[in-house]
Every structure is written in structure tokens, then in C-alpha cells.
Amino acid sequence: MKHSVLQTALAAIAIFGAGNMTASAAWEPVRPVEFIVPAGTGGGADQMARTIQGIVTKHSLMKQPMVVINKSGGAGGEGFLDVKGSGNNPHKIIITLSNLFTTPLATGIPFSWKDMTPVAMLALDEFVLWVNAEKPYATVKDYVDAVKQAPAGGMKMGGTGSKQEDQIITVALEKATGTKFTYIPYKGGGEVAVQLVGNHVDSTVNNPIEAVAQWRGGKLRPLCVFDGKQMAYDEVVADGKGWKDIPTCKSQGLDIEYLMLRGIFMSPKATKDQVEYYVELFKKVRATPEWQDFMKSGAFNTTFLTGAEYAKWVETEEKRHETLMKEAGFLATPGN
């Protein structure tokens, strides 16, 4: 009996000791975490960052506050260089979009995704071809016919930034249709949607989350999605239609596919424990009903990657963007 009690006591001490060792080895923030958005307010990245901030706060997923900071200067280069220069500061994370690749390729700024520490892919964002609902274009064919009939540059395409994903898709559209657009850059997807509602541009290739409110309000009309398959969400959004009812651009004769990263990186020289803390944090965020609702409202592809798998995906996308940018003539020239 005494032997049994002694064994139990020793086992308890061992477990307690192991727990203490784990607790002392693990890391968590000791001051507010800056959540950098390398884009303007109202766009897809900004909306996702602020949704995450709200979920973290509501469910008390962190002991320290999370503070969203927009650093959109230089096509997001301001935000990337800030994080690059914050080595050994685990209290700074950044949400990335395709400007992770396009900005250094287009501007030549001294930055690569390898200057930061990969944490997780949260989702992939779709691109949809949008027109004003007042326009007579009911199908992609109607729209393409109108573009072809207009004088070169007569049709205005609104998009976020210059030499970034929206303009890359615009160049692909020009090649697919043998036409020429006048591309008008804006600071963020929210502003792009407003400009289309006001008929200041003829079309946009905004993300679903950036234009869903205007679609629901009867102001905009989606024509096709730049993906290899239709979106999975069947809930009605507007006009008796859901995201799944939007045909792929490929099926409508526009052989163009483009998906955008919504991922998280942190500052250089992050430790394994620090990365793991944020991976676990985002797993908790993804498990909330608020996140599920956000994914549905924005018609996101919900792929989640971490570790080597995530880094490999990013590396492949960097090479693909270099090819796309080269074809579009968007690569920075030496000396510029």
C-alpha cells in the first residue's frame, strides 16, 4: 500500500515537473502585438485582419491586445520593410497578399518573403469580374463584345495598386480578348468597388469580400470567377443567386486562373515556440463561428497550410508571379 502511494506521488511530481518545463519553454506575447496590413483600409487584407482582431478580442484568445496597423505605402513595401527590419521582435506579424511577390518584383525594393518567417496560409482569395448592375452586360460574352467594340483604352478597369494582382489579371484579359483597357489604380478594394458603383470605371476584378455588399445591394453584377472550378458556397446572396452560380471565366472563353494568398508571416529570426504560438492562435481563430461566417461571406477557398508545406507553396507562387510579371512587362529594370 505504502509502495503504491509512493508511486502515485512520484508520478504526480513527474507530471507536475513536466508541465512546468513545458510552460517555461513555451512562448506567448508579453506586450501588444502589431498586426501589419500592407494595404489600404477597406480592402480584403484589411477586412480579414480586422475580423481576426475582433475574434481574438471577443474570445479572449490572447492575453495581450492585437493592434491592426495599415502600412500601404509603396504598394505595401512600407509594411514589408517594417517587418523585415524587426528581427527578434515576435510582437509583430503581417498579413500578406500577392504584393508579397509583386511589390519587390515591380519596384526592386530590397525585400523577399524569405526576409520574414512563414507562419500559416489562412485561406486563398478568389477574383471575380464585376460590372455595374445598370450596364446591359448579363454574360461574359456581352462584356467582351462591348470591350472589343470600344476604342483601344476606351474601357476603364479599376483595381488595387499598380503592377499588382488586379493589373496582372487585366493584362491577361487584354491578351485573351485582343483588346486594350485603361487601368485605373486605387488604394484598396473597398474604394475600387465604390468607383464601380459610381460608374467611374467600367469593370473591376475585385475579391468577393470587397464587392459582396454592393452585389447584395443590387449595385454590382458578377460575371465570372478566375478559378479552375466554381466556388462552393450555395447560399443566396442576391438576385436568387449564390457564389456557386457564378461561372468560371475559363468556361466562358477566358482562359485565366488566379488565386491570391491570405497568409501570415512574422519578423525574422522567430523561434520555433514563437511561430507555434501563432499557428495555434490561428487554429483557434479558424474554429470560431465568426471565422466560418467570414469565409462564407467572402467565398474564400479555405486551404490552411503551415511549416514546410506553406513555405514550399509560397516559393512556387513567387516563381509563377515572376513569370506573370515578366510577360506583362512589369518587372523593375536595373537602376530604377
Side-chain angles (χ1 to χ4, degrees):
M1 184 72 176
K2 284 182 180 178
H3 182 68
S4 175
V5 171
L6 179 61
Q7 278 187 318
T8 304
L10 288 171
I13 291 168
I15 292 168
F16 179 74
N20 270 1
M21 282 173 65
T22 303
S24 63
W27 178 89
E28 65 179 336
V30 294
R31 61 177 187 269
V33 170
E34 292 183 29
F35 196 177
I36 307 298
V37 179
T41 57
D46 182 63
Q47 288 188 53
M48 183 173 282
R50 293 181 190 278
T51 296
I52 291 168
Q53 179 192 42
I55 290 171
V56 168
T57 302
K58 179 179 178 180
H59 294 280
S60 301
L61 300 182
M62 281 173 54
K63 293 176 184 176
Q64 296 291 331
M66 179 179 279
V67 184
V68 174
I69 302 172
N70 294 83
K71 293 199 172 187
S72 61
E78 176 191 8
F80 293 129
L81 292 175
D82 178 27
V83 176
K84 175 185 176 179
S86 301
N88 294 315
N89 177 7
H91 296 87
K92 188 171 290 194
I93 61 175
I94 187 167
I95 188 166
T96 58
L97 49 155
S98 290
N99 64 353
L100 175 67
F101 315 114
T102 59
T103 294
L105 286 169
T107 65
I109 63 166
F111 169 78
S112 158
W113 67 269
K114 293 173 184 174
D115 293 327
M116 304 188 297
T117 305
V119 176
M121 173 193 289
L122 299 183
L124 291 169
D125 211 343
E126 306 278 6
F127 282 83
V128 172
L129 177 61
W130 299 92
V131 294
N132 190 297
E134 295 173 357
K135 295 291 176 71
Y137 322 130
T139 65
V140 171
K141 184 181 183 305
D142 294 340
Y143 169 77
V144 171
D145 286 347
V147 175
K148 287 182 175 179
Q149 288 166 18
M155 294 286 272
K156 297 175 184 175
M157 178 71 82
T160 300
S162 297
K163 299 182 180 179
Q164 296 179 47
E165 53 278 356
D166 292 19
Q167 195 171 7
I168 288 172
I169 296 172
T170 301
V171 170
L173 275 168
E174 289 176 336
K175 290 184 177 180
T177 58
T179 58
K180 186 70 179 173
F181 290 91
T182 293
Y183 179 81
I184 302 178
Y186 297 99
K187 286 186 178 179
E191 186 182 359
V192 171
V194 170
Q195 294 297 320
L196 183 56
V197 169
N199 274 317
H200 302 296
V201 293
D202 299 292
S203 57
T204 68
V205 288
N206 246 355
N207 305 125
I209 196 69
E210 294 172 332
V212 63
Q214 289 84 355
W215 181 27
R216 194 175 282 123
K219 302 292 186 183
L220 300 183
R221 179 185 300 127
L223 295 183
C224 65
V225 60
F226 294 95
D227 196 349
K229 61 182 185 299
Q230 286 170 261
M231 292 175 280
Y233 303 93
D234 55 9
E235 204 168 278
V236 173
V237 178
D239 304 322
K241 295 180 179 179
W243 295 111
K244 75 172 181 59
D245 297 309
I246 301 172
T248 64
C249 298
K250 207 167 186 176
S251 72
Q252 303 300 296
L254 295 176
D255 191 9
I256 305 166
E257 288 184 38
Y258 193 93
L259 286 162
M260 183 166 66
L261 172 67
R262 297 293 185 192
I264 302 294
F265 285 75
M266 58 189 297
S267 55
K269 301 178 184 177
T271 67
K272 185 179 178 182
D273 280 344
Q274 290 163 353
V275 172
E276 191 58 31
Y277 172 83
Y278 288 111
V279 168
E280 291 305 313
L281 174 68
F282 288 111
K283 283 181 179 177
K284 291 172 187 173
V285 168
R286 284 169 49 83
T288 65
E290 291 87 358
W291 180 261
Q292 301 302 321
D293 289 344
F294 182 67
M295 289 291 98
K296 188 187 296 182
S297 67
F300 288 94
N301 174 320
T302 58
T303 302
F304 181 74
L305 297 176
T306 61
E309 200 175 7
Y310 176 39
K312 184 180 178 182
W313 186 93
V314 173
E315 188 169 17
T316 300
E317 278 298 289
E318 180 184 45
K319 290 173 184 173
R320 186 170 79 97
H321 276 82
E322 187 167 7
T323 300
L324 289 169
M325 297 278 284
K326 187 176 182 179
E327 288 176 354
F330 290 165
L331 291 180
T333 53
N336 284 359

